[in-house]
Amino acid sequence: MAIEMPQGLPFSVDTWTPSSKSSKRHHFLTHAHKDHSSNITSHSSFPIYSTLLTKTLLLQHYPHLHPSLFLQIEVGHSLIIHDPHGNFTVTAFDANHCPGAVMFLFEGQFGNILHTGDCRLNLECLLNLPDKYVGRKGKKATCPLDCVFLDCTFGTFSRSMPTKQSSIQQVH
Ligand SMILES: [Zn+2]
């Protein structure tokens, strides 16, 4: 689900509104599900950071988007984003969601911000984050995140969700 980033942040994630287009200088896509990419075709002149797999899946939905719009970032990789108001770093982490899905960790003068997109945020997933943000074995995090954008589309879903393992067994 699209979340407008607060004013002052130079980036948007999964948000393709006119406001995002006009006020954000850098655009990120966590994964290719349609509720995260609707209206993305309005962004035909901006680079979009995503994984190669997300780009590949998205271009099947929107074949008129030009492949050159996308800049690649993969799980475990960091990029320095050059911005007139201060460079920042973005790192992609496995979101444990669908193929190609990532969470983005932004680190800059604005603070340290994790945007999860859709995720299955289990312990293994959390432990992939840098040590300084995650307490381990009784030790507290030395540098807590300033902000977490956590997608809670099904946060109020009243039925129990099957485990990932159970879902895989049902598919088999
Ligand atoms: Zn999704």
Side-chain angles (χ1 to χ4, degrees), residues 83-95:
D83 185 84
H85 294 206
N87 297 346
F88 62 94
T89 301
V90 60
T91 308
F93 295 90
D94 182 10

Side-chain angles (χ1 to χ4, degrees), residues 31 33 35-36 97 118:
H31 65 293
H33 284 161
D35 60 327
H36 290 253
H97 181 52
D118 285 348

Side-chain angles (χ1 to χ4, degrees), residues 16-165:
W16 314 102
T17 59
S19 167
S20 167
K21 184 177 180 180
S22 65
S23 66
K24 304 301 182 187
R25 295 181 290 279
H26 312 281
H27 304 275
F28 297 82
L29 177 64
T30 59
H31 65 293
H33 284 161
K34 285 202 170 181
D35 60 327
H36 290 253
S37 60
S38 65
N39 209 31
I40 197 170
T41 53
S42 70
H43 278 245
S44 57
S45 61
F46 290 86
I48 299 167
Y49 294 88
S50 77
T51 63
L52 177 59
L53 185 50
T54 291
K55 168 187 168 181
T56 303
L57 293 169
L58 199 76
L59 290 176
Q60 291 179 10
H61 293 302
Y62 306 102
H64 48 288
L65 276 177
H66 200 279
S68 66
L69 282 175
F70 292 85
L71 297 174
Q72 190 176 339
I73 182 168
E74 297 299 333
V75 168
H77 291 175
S78 297
L79 295 174
I80 296 173
I81 308 297
H82 297 279
D83 185 84
H85 294 206
N87 297 346
F88 62 94
T89 301
V90 60
T91 308
F93 295 90
D94 182 10
N96 198 19
H97 181 52
C98 66
V102 292
M103 305 186 288
F104 290 116
L105 174 64
F106 300 93
E107 297 168 295
Q109 293 176 2
F110 44 72
N112 305 310
I113 297 172
L114 178 68
H115 192 296
T116 67
D118 285 348
C119 67
R120 188 181 286 264
L121 201 55
N122 61 16
L123 184 59
E124 181 184 343
C125 209
L126 276 175
L127 292 177
N128 287 331
L129 294 172
D131 287 355
K132 65 182 179 178
Y133 297 124
V134 182
R136 295 177 197 272
K137 295 186 178 178
K139 294 183 180 176
K140 288 188 174 182
T142 58
C143 180
L145 291 165
D146 296 304
C147 189
V148 176
F149 291 90
L150 181 64
D151 196 311
C152 297
T153 304
F154 295 103
T156 58
F157 193 63
S158 60
R159 296 184 183 170
S160 65
M161 299 285 267
T163 65
K164 187 174 185 177
Q165 191 60 37

